[in-house]
Amino acid sequence: MIKELVKDEAILSVPCEPATAEDAPVAQDLVDTLAAIDDAVCLAANQIGVTKAIIAYQDDDGNARVMYNPKFIGGFGAAKLEESCLSHEEPVRVTRYAKIKITFDELVDGELKHRKRDYIGWTAQMIQHMIDHCKGRLV
């Protein structure tokens, strides 16, 4: 179901709770909402009003990918970049890594499976932005 975006900083500043397999409907709402917004490439659950650690982003082929409970482990190639956010009016400068290592859970056959992966470039930047959202950090 397509949800309205939350722009209230009080809500967006609350750290998200761990997600479970029972939160799959929230993940679907994220995917549906992401697809409905022109030029949107990533969303966190708190941006649709749900304080669960779930993110969705579009991969290089335009397919939606969902991560439950993403955690940043480390990064290489720090640089200052300008970022925009659907929940914020003005672009801001932030430090992001060109290559990151994260852990996350993926829903497979109704169960969450733990994963560890490296990401680079634009995808790494989106994931870092969404992890910040899950921590209640605003850009």
Side-chain angles (χ1 to χ4, degrees):
M1 175 185 294
I2 298 169
K3 300 289 188 172
E4 189 171 324
L5 289 182
V6 171
K7 296 188 179 199
D8 183 337
E9 289 189 15
I11 294 169
L12 295 171
S13 297
V14 175
C16 293
E17 301 168 21
T20 66
E22 288 74 35
D23 294 313
V26 174
Q28 187 59 55
D29 290 347
L30 270 178
V31 170
D32 294 345
T33 304
L34 182 61
I37 301 171
D38 291 336
D39 299 324
V41 292
C42 56
L43 279 176
N46 61 355
Q47 289 180 283
I48 61 168
V50 181
T51 55
K52 291 288 188 163
I54 306 171
I55 67 172
Y57 69 94
Q58 287 184 346
D59 66 16
D60 291 336
D61 297 323
N63 299 312
R65 301 287 179 200
V66 174
M67 295 179 175
Y68 294 72
N69 307 312
K71 291 188 178 34
F72 179 85
I73 296 174
F76 303 96
K80 286 278 189 188
L81 305 171
E82 189 170 278
E83 270 185 7
S84 296
C85 181
L86 295 170
S87 300
H88 234 42
E89 297 290 324
E90 303 285 323
V92 294
R93 291 192 57 77
V94 295
T95 299
R96 295 289 184 224
Y97 296 94
K99 181 178 181 180
I100 60 170
K101 181 176 291 295
I102 66 164
T103 63
F104 63 96
D105 296 319
E106 181 177 32
L107 189 63
V108 179
D109 297 327
E111 293 182 17
L112 292 181
K113 303 292 183 186
H114 196 65
R115 309 281 192 231
K116 182 190 279 189
R117 294 209 176 112
D118 294 343
Y119 292 91
I120 60 170
W122 176 239
T123 302
Q125 185 179 350
M126 286 188 292
I127 291 170
Q128 289 169 85
H129 183 100
M130 294 296 95
I131 288 173
D132 281 352
H133 270 293
C134 289
K135 292 180 176 180
R137 291 186 196 145
L138 299 175
V139 181

